[in-house]
Amino acid sequence: MRLKSWLRHIDPGFFIVLAITWLAVWPFLSRPGLPQATDAELHIFRLHELSYLIRNGEIYPRWAPNFYHAYGYPIFNYYAPLSYYVGLVFELMPKLDAVDGVKAVFVLGLLTAAVGIYGYVRPHWGRLAGYVAAACFVYAPYMQYIDPHARGALAESFSFGMFALALWALDRLRQRVTAWRWVTAVFTTAGVILSHNLMALLLFAMLAAWAVWPWWDGWQDGKREEGAERREEREGKKEEGRGRREERGEKREGRWAVWGALALAVGVAAFFWLPVMLERNAVNLTTLLGAGDNYDFRTHFLSWGEMLTWTRRLDWGATEPAFRFNLGVAQWVLALLGVLFLVARRVRHAGHVLFFALAAALLLFMMLPVSQFVWEAFPFLPYFQFPWRLMGAAAAVLAVLAGAAAAVIEDWLLHRLPRWRGWGTAVLVALPIVLGLPLTQPFPWPDFGEVSTRRMTEIEHTGRWLGTTSTADYVPATVDMIPERNGNVVYGLYEGLPVDHINWAQVPEGTEIETEYVRPLLTRYTVHAPKAFKFRLFLFDFPGWQVRVDGERVETELGRPEGFIVVPLTAGEHEVEVKFGSTPARSLAVGVTFVALFLTLALAWRWRRSALTEGAPPSLQRPDWLVLGSVSLVTAVTIFILSPLGWLHYESTGLTAVAAQHAAFADFGRQIALIGYDTTAETAVSGDDVTVTLYWKAQADLDINYQVFVHLLAPDGFLVTQSDKLNPGDFPTRRWPLDKYVRDVHVLHLPADLPAGNYTVAVGLWVQTEGWRLPLLDAAGAQIGDNQALFTLQVK
């Protein structure tokens, strides 16, 4: 009976929202595996490592012992954990693995984003407006494709879904305080903090600003209501005055409850963020910042033209199909209408709309080059690395504005063209889906293959990444030099055996050592030593590693420059226990979390009798069915007609790159061909930046990693400026496939004092370690040079 009663109180509109998201999640549901060329690969192996630790008795591990050639490193102490633990729920199920777990988190991120934004918009602007907001949010290019597919950014993608749920939960709590609303508000907000390190700062700040925003309005409303109460009491209307006081008291309680939920959410998540803050100097974080490279925020600002442009079709003939960092035309047009309706005083809940309009303006400003001075003024902002990362948050606020605009349009249709009621919303919901159809066609990825510790260490051996990072971030600060791979250490990873961390080469003759592997992060050694020696372990030292000799805690030494643990031992028999445990910072953090949990549950108990009796939500009406029909039609046509016919993408073949502005052919040593190029300008002025995009294709299997150069040459051949890359397209040439081209973007910075004239843009390939260039060949195979002139740049 309770289940039936609960089901009757579910808004059936949520099922339409799930139908709206179907095309967004379809690539994950219809294809096996996940791509290997994005960050999704890293998240898969992190989840696999976490599962190994949990299955073997480690509760909330902070150290990953098998990464970094089995020397270990503290990735789980510093990286937001929620997406991995959600994925772990699926990974632990029979017949599922880490690939399935990561894929489930991607799908849940999109579903929760749609459900959360619908849940927030619906009570303010209506169910139909909620549909429009859900469609605009999920089909925003950054949400639908860039984050989950192009980047494979699992934690960041999931954080936007948690943000939408938290916004909805806090809004419900502000309207009326109940035990259930209180608990969901605290835990969804904590989920935002636990989802992604950087997005936690941004999204929590947005939630806090949203909580502050109505405070002033509420204070003003309170003053007006107090005046109304006094007038009613003077006129003898005591019941009306008492009702106003009770309503005002509920509003005040709701506002305080929202602030309490935000504060306790910070406390609940303290077990993660507090050690990150207090132990931030124990690891290397400087590699997260760049200067003139891919991790320099200055190289990732957007232009208005790119943000407002249309979504392009993807080229399946590229290793990484080109896409645009755009907001989505439907999204920004509807959001702009919402702002115009706000100015015209046509929208309901204008205070809410104004908040999201200002938030949108700020987020868009921060993605433009004009905001560089702000990024430079605040030391923490460069850690975001990419200003376009704000697009996910921008998609959320634009979706709310679009929902408010849709409500005005629907109201207009209701009063002016009642027969067309619902059709307008059906079109508005379908519009972002239709315009986003090209992004429902990410290029097919091959089967991911085996997920195992052995494969992980083999990838590390290739140098593609170490410890599931590519910039040595989160390596203990005491590691002065990353040590070489040691075959004796990683042997166990290949054979499915525990890792032997003993440095046997430094063990004195006659010493006997027996090893007992208790848990992945707890090992006991029984040592019989004829003389004193230093027991050296191939194990990075880090706060939390505790060594006991014969039951007594001992201070270890640091093996420089590798940063390994060294245990001084006297002659005789000893039991040496090496365990990864807690630190004062982590113990404090866990204590804060338990206190916050206690307060959360205690307050929930206090409000347990404040259950809100809600009537059954309205059943689906004609406008709802029209929305469902339009969404179902677009989904069916896409899946069964457009996708099989290949109309939503194109595929370059042979020595052509359809996406290139200019076709070209330059044969470099029968190894690599240049098959096209783009340029942002053929005329410029001194001080300008000119972007040149090259399209390369391997002509044979490559066993050398070539480097690329783009030179700007004066008429006399003098080198004016250049752009060099260690890997063309940031993709080592030894890994290039033969059936796809590589897109390679370069920026030439013209000197401020460059004289007017005609300059030549030339490109080529070389081997940096040996200092020779690949020869440029003609059709007969004869060398005609070592670089290819692309075009003449006229400087005025």
Side-chain angles (χ1 to χ4, degrees):
M1 293 297 292
R2 286 187 176 182
L3 178 61
K4 289 183 178 180
S5 175
W6 181 76
L7 290 175
R8 281 198 302 269
H9 286 81
I10 295 179
D11 176 10
F14 283 111
F15 297 103
I16 295 181
V17 170
L18 296 180
I20 289 172
T21 63
W22 187 254
L23 272 180
V25 301
W26 179 246
F28 291 114
L29 300 179
S30 61
R31 301 177 183 180
L34 282 171
Q36 301 177 33
T38 71
D39 285 355
E41 177 185 48
L42 310 181
H43 296 298
I44 287 169
F45 284 105
R46 288 177 190 172
L47 177 56
H48 175 74
E49 179 79 348
L50 178 64
S51 175
Y52 158 76
L53 292 167
I54 296 292
R55 290 171 187 266
N56 285 278
E58 301 291 352
I59 306 302
Y60 194 72
R62 296 177 183 267
W63 184 266
N66 295 320
F67 290 152
Y68 260 90
H69 303 315
Y71 304 137
Y73 85 132
I75 182 67
F76 296 131
N77 190 56
Y78 292 93
Y79 205 89
L82 183 59
S83 59
Y84 300 125
Y85 281 89
V86 172
L88 186 66
V89 173
F90 296 91
E91 196 271 350
L92 292 175
M93 293 181 180
K95 298 184 179 181
L96 298 183
D97 62 8
V99 175
D100 301 304
V102 168
K103 183 183 291 188
V105 176
F106 276 125
V107 171
L108 284 175
L110 290 167
L111 295 179
T112 53
V115 168
I117 213 72
Y118 169 82
Y120 175 76
V121 169
R122 179 194 56 178
H124 298 290
W125 296 282
R127 180 189 277 172
L128 300 182
Y131 297 149
V132 174
C136 285
F137 192 22
V138 171
Y139 290 94
Y142 194 82
M143 292 288 299
Q144 178 192 357
Y145 175 78
I146 297 175
D147 233 14
H149 293 289
R151 300 183 62 218
L154 179 72
E156 182 177 312
S157 180
F158 188 70
S159 71
F160 298 124
M162 290 305 305
F163 169 75
L165 289 180
L167 181 64
W168 177 29
L170 289 168
D171 188 58
R172 282 169 55 83
L173 179 65
R174 187 166 66 185
Q175 294 169 17
R176 174 74 183 274
V177 179
T178 69
W180 173 247
R181 292 184 177 189
W182 164 257
V183 170
T184 55
V186 172
F187 284 102
T188 53
T189 306
V192 172
I193 301 172
L194 297 172
S195 294
H196 187 267
N197 296 43
L198 295 173
M199 287 301 114
L201 298 175
L202 172 65
L203 299 179
F204 184 83
M206 291 176 63
L207 291 174
W210 173 86
V212 170
W213 181 258
W215 200 271
W216 171 251
D217 289 342
W219 181 82
Q220 290 181 314
D221 290 343
K223 291 296 182 182
R224 287 193 292 269
E225 289 171 1
E226 286 178 1
E229 290 169 15
R230 287 193 293 269
R231 287 194 302 272
E232 288 168 350
E233 288 177 357
R234 286 196 300 268
E235 296 170 2
K237 300 178 181 179
K238 294 184 178 180
E239 291 299 325
E240 289 84 347
R242 185 180 301 111
R244 283 183 179 273
R245 281 195 300 274
E246 291 176 355
E247 181 181 355
R248 188 156 55 89
E250 288 182 358
K251 289 182 179 180
R252 186 184 300 111
E253 183 183 37
R255 288 193 291 267
W256 281 109
V258 166
W259 274 101
L262 289 171
L264 285 180
V266 172
V268 169
F271 70 92
F272 159 66
W273 67 262
L274 192 52
V276 172
M277 294 298 296
L278 297 179
E279 298 178 344
R280 64 187 181 278
N281 294 325
V283 291
N284 177 28
L285 295 177
T286 57
T287 55
L288 295 174
L289 302 177
D293 57 15
N294 186 54
Y295 297 102
D296 185 352
F297 68 88
R298 299 171 187 85
T299 64
H300 294 286
F301 286 113
L302 303 177
S303 66
W304 278 115
E306 184 168 12
M307 286 196 289
L308 302 182
T309 193
W310 301 89
T311 295
R312 67 190 299 175
R313 290 190 300 162
L314 302 175
D315 186 354
W316 285 10
T319 54
E320 294 184 3
F323 58 88
R324 290 168 174 158
F325 284 99
N326 60 325
L327 298 168
V329 172
Q331 284 81 353
W332 71 258
V333 168
L334 288 174
L336 181 60
L337 284 177
V339 174
L340 294 177
F341 289 146
L342 171 66
V343 174
R345 299 185 178 181
R346 298 285 304 278
V347 5
R348 301 195 300 270
H349 300 287
H352 289 266
V353 178
L354 179 58
F355 170 80
F356 287 101
L358 293 174
L362 178 60
L363 290 168
L364 296 178
F365 167 77
M366 291 296 293
M367 289 187 280
L368 296 169
V370 69
S371 69
Q372 180 172 326
F373 74 96
V374 180
W375 287 81
E376 293 172 345
F378 294 91
F380 67 90
L381 284 178
Y383 284 97
F384 278 81
Q385 300 170 327
F386 317 117
W388 44 253
R389 245 182 178 157
L390 305 184
M391 273 200 153
V397 298
L398 293 181
V400 175
L401 293 173
V408 176
I409 295 172
E410 190 61 33
D411 288 344
W412 184 86
L413 289 174
L414 176 63
H415 292 95
R416 300 295 182 89
L417 300 169
R419 292 185 178 181
W420 290 92
R421 183 172 184 259
W423 284 105
T425 301
V427 171
L428 294 180
V429 170
L431 187 61
I433 302 177
V434 170
L435 295 181
L437 285 182
L439 300 183
T440 65
Q441 308 294 307
F443 69 95
W445 50 74
D447 179 62
F448 188 84
E450 177 191 18
V451 181
S452 65
T453 304
R454 173 174 180 163
R455 183 181 174 197
M456 178 274 298
T457 196
E458 288 174 344
I459 294 175
E460 288 193 332
H461 189 40
T462 66
R464 201 158 87 218
W465 42 257
L466 272 175
T468 66
T469 57
S470 57
T471 57
D473 38 317
Y474 306 121
V475 172
T478 51
V479 177
D480 301 323
M481 179 190 72
I482 302 296
E484 295 291 331
R485 184 180 181 87
N486 188 302
N488 293 328
V489 176
V490 299
Y491 173 82
L493 301 183
Y494 283 89
E495 301 300 325
L497 301 172
V499 172
D500 183 1
H501 288 109
I502 301 174
N503 185 345
W504 288 101
Q506 300 297 319
V507 174
E509 185 178 354
T511 302
E512 298 179 0
I513 303 176
E514 298 177 2
T515 306
E516 178 188 1
Y517 299 99
V518 182
R519 298 195 307 271
L521 302 182
L522 172 58
T523 305
R524 293 194 185 100
Y525 301 96
T526 302
V527 181
H528 301 269
K531 62 179 181 179
F533 78 107
K534 292 186 177 181
F535 185 34
R536 299 178 182 271
L537 299 174
F538 288 120
L539 186 65
F540 285 148
D541 197 4
F542 183 73
W545 279 116
Q546 302 168 3
V547 177
R548 295 181 181 276
V549 177
D550 301 327
E552 297 293 329
R553 180 81 176 267
V554 299
E555 292 295 326
T556 61
E557 297 178 4
L558 185 63
R560 296 283 189 176
E562 300 91 348
F564 290 143
I565 293 176
V566 178
V567 186
L569 291 178
T570 59
E573 180 176 338
H574 303 285
E575 182 182 84
V576 181
E577 181 180 273
V578 182
K579 174 184 178 182
F580 191 83
S582 187
T583 63
R586 294 169 210 163
S587 299
L588 172 64
V590 171
V592 172
T593 292
F594 276 116
V595 170
L597 286 172
F598 173 79
L599 292 175
T600 298
L601 297 178
L603 288 170
W605 178 262
R606 176 188 175 226
W607 285 314
R608 70 190 184 283
R609 300 185 186 277
S610 303
L612 180 62
T613 303
E614 297 180 349
S619 59
L620 298 181
Q621 305 297 318
R622 179 174 178 270
D624 302 292
W625 291 111
L626 289 173
V627 170
L628 180 60
S630 68
V631 169
S632 300
L633 178 62
V634 172
T635 301
V637 169
T638 300
I639 292 176
F640 298 111
I641 299 177
L642 298 180
S643 289
L645 291 176
W647 290 356
L648 297 175
H649 72 274
Y650 56 89
E651 187 168 6
S652 298
T653 58
L655 296 174
T656 60
V658 178
Q661 293 176 353
H662 306 279
F665 181 76
D667 182 356
F668 287 92
R670 296 285 193 264
Q671 299 290 298
I672 298 174
L674 178 70
I675 61 175
Y677 70 92
D678 303 340
T679 178
T680 56
E682 293 188 2
T683 61
V685 297
S686 58
D688 279 356
D689 288 343
V690 177
T691 300
V692 178
T693 302
L694 309 176
Y695 295 82
W696 303 101
K697 193 160 189 179
Q699 301 185 85
D701 290 325
L702 304 174
D703 56 5
I704 296 176
N705 279 332
Y706 293 101
Q707 286 68 59
V708 59
F709 63 85
V710 179
H711 289 172
L712 184 67
L713 303 175
D716 60 0
F718 179 78
L719 178 62
V720 175
T721 187
Q722 67 189 84
S723 171
D724 297 313
K725 281 189 177 181
L726 189 63
N727 297 304
D730 299 315
F731 191 3
T733 57
R734 284 194 300 183
R735 293 168 47 201
W736 285 12
L738 296 177
D739 60 340
K740 296 182 184 296
Y741 66 79
V742 175
R743 186 170 173 270
D744 182 25
V745 181
H746 295 261
V747 178
L748 293 173
H749 305 285
L750 305 188
D753 57 351
L754 185 63
N758 293 327
Y759 296 81
T760 300
V761 176
V763 304
L765 297 161
W766 67 305
V767 179
Q768 184 181 39
T769 56
E770 300 177 16
W772 56 270
R773 294 183 177 183
L774 263 178
L776 179 65
L777 308 180
D778 62 13
Q783 181 173 352
I784 55 176
D786 59 12
N787 66 78
Q788 172 67 34
L790 291 185
F791 63 94
T792 298
L793 179 67
Q794 183 181 11
V795 177
K796 296 182 177 180

